[in-house]
Amino acid sequence: MKKYWGIITVLVAVGLALFFYFRFYFVFGEGVKSGELNYVVYKGLVFKTYEGKLIQTGIRSKSAGSIQSYEFEFSVEDEALARELMLQGGKTLELHYREYFGALPWRGFTKFIVDSIVTARPAPVDPLGIQPGPVEEPVLPAQL
């Protein structure tokens, strides 16, 4: 009988370890979000973490008759990256993030963890192909 309790205990421990891993450490998804960096703050009662918000272009409606902007709330684990983001407030950035199934209090309040700033893309090209050129002065009849 003791043999069965030992096997059951090991199976339960392995099951809990797998659940904990997939819930909090398995990277569910990753990607890049682009928008205007609203803020990055250092806050928390027991665990101090860096939290931020990125405002994306466009609008959406959660319910009929209301309008809300796209907001991407995220956490930052790396202190150096958080300090760099604090200096970039108000600028348009592309942020690379990892998404987890759940949040851990020492990692941040959200399940989205920003891990880098993606380099900016080059300026868009005019669709008509018109390139600004030097301004030419008009020739007056008296100068001919």
Side-chain angles (χ1 to χ4, degrees):
M1 188 67 167
K2 289 183 181 182
K3 179 180 174 182
Y4 293 118
W5 283 111
I7 292 173
I8 290 173
T9 304
V10 168
L11 288 176
V12 168
V14 168
L16 286 174
L18 285 173
F19 171 78
F20 190 78
Y21 170 76
F22 280 106
R23 178 77 176 156
F24 299 110
Y25 288 99
F26 178 73
V27 178
F28 172 65
E30 60 181 291
V32 175
K33 295 268 188 178
S34 178
E36 184 178 323
L37 184 63
N38 192 355
Y39 64 82
V40 175
V41 295
Y42 184 61
K43 67 179 182 177
L45 295 173
V46 177
F47 298 104
K48 298 281 189 181
T49 59
Y50 293 96
E51 307 297 324
K53 184 185 286 188
L54 189 76
I55 307 296
Q56 299 174 286
T57 58
I59 55 174
R60 68 175 172 180
S61 176
K62 284 188 175 181
S63 60
S66 68
I67 296 176
Q68 180 180 351
S69 65
Y70 287 109
E71 296 177 350
F72 174 60
E73 294 184 356
F74 59 88
S75 301
V76 182
E77 286 183 306
D78 183 20
E79 182 178 352
L81 177 62
R83 298 278 181 205
E84 175 64 27
L85 286 171
M86 285 180 179
L87 298 174
Q88 302 294 326
K91 295 182 181 175
T92 300
L93 300 174
E94 292 180 351
L95 302 177
H96 183 269
Y97 68 93
R98 297 182 318 264
E99 181 180 358
Y100 298 92
F101 285 114
L104 290 169
W106 54 86
R107 190 167 57 195
F109 293 131
T110 69
K111 61 183 184 174
F112 299 102
I113 307 298
V114 168
D115 57 6
S116 65
I117 300 172
V118 179
T119 57
R121 287 183 259 161
V125 178
D126 184 4
L128 299 176
I130 300 172
Q131 298 293 328
V135 177
E136 297 179 16
E137 294 186 25
V139 177
L140 300 174
Q143 294 175 346
L144 295 174

